[in-house]
Amino acid sequence: QVQLVESGGGLVQAGGSLRLSCAASGDTFSTNAMGWFRQAPGKERDFVAAVSWSYLSSTSYADSVKGRFTISRGNAKNTVYLQMDSLKPEDTAVYYCAAGKIGSSRYSSAYDYWGQGTQVTVSS
């Protein structure tokens, strides 16, 4: 059992920045990777970024956010951040933190635990 809590969402103007945080607690022994997904109204939940706790903390990103978003591990235990720069209205969505037993993946089915989500709204 792993519990995930996201924070840092909000309203920001286009071109601005936000930093999302995700804290994991509980039985994190089996957790090998953490990632971020997002879901806009009427759309599927899409992969954003992921980081593994092995393979030298390798990261992966969706093409739509490469060069703008950065996923990283925090100083606190079992914490991951998503730094979002140069935000666009298309980035508006509910952002979900996820944790999985396997290495980082862009597939939502690979993750075992999910947070409640945090709203990110980018105005034009």
Side-chain angles (χ1 to χ4, degrees):
Q1 298 176 332
V2 175
Q3 295 79 45
L4 304 174
V5 179
E6 305 100 332
S7 62
L11 175 65
V12 66
Q13 69 275 19
S17 299
L18 284 173
R19 188 178 73 164
L20 306 183
S21 300
C22 177
S25 61
D27 186 11
T28 60
F29 174 77
S30 62
T31 299
N32 294 313
M34 297 180 71
W36 290 94
F37 289 74
R38 65 187 183 185
Q39 186 170 25
K43 296 185 178 180
E44 300 294 326
R45 186 174 297 184
D46 294 326
F47 170 77
V48 176
V51 60
S52 67
W53 303 115
S54 60
Y55 297 101
L56 301 177
S57 298
S58 62
T59 59
S60 61
Y61 298 91
D63 290 340
S64 59
V65 305
K66 286 182 179 178
R68 300 190 297 118
F69 291 10
T70 303
I71 188 170
S72 63
R73 290 192 285 175
N75 293 326
K77 185 178 180 180
N78 298 320
T79 302
V80 66
Y81 297 107
L82 183 67
Q83 177 66 43
M84 305 185 294
D85 298 319
S86 301
L87 283 163
K88 306 175 181 179
E90 305 93 279
D91 296 318
T92 296
V94 176
Y95 283 70
Y96 296 90
C97 179
K101 299 177 181 179
I102 64 172
S104 61
S105 174
R106 63 175 57 247
Y107 303 106
S108 61
S109 61
Y111 294 87
D112 304 289
Y113 309 100
W114 296 85
Q116 294 298 310
T118 184
Q119 177 71 48
V120 172
T121 302
V122 184
S123 61
S124 60

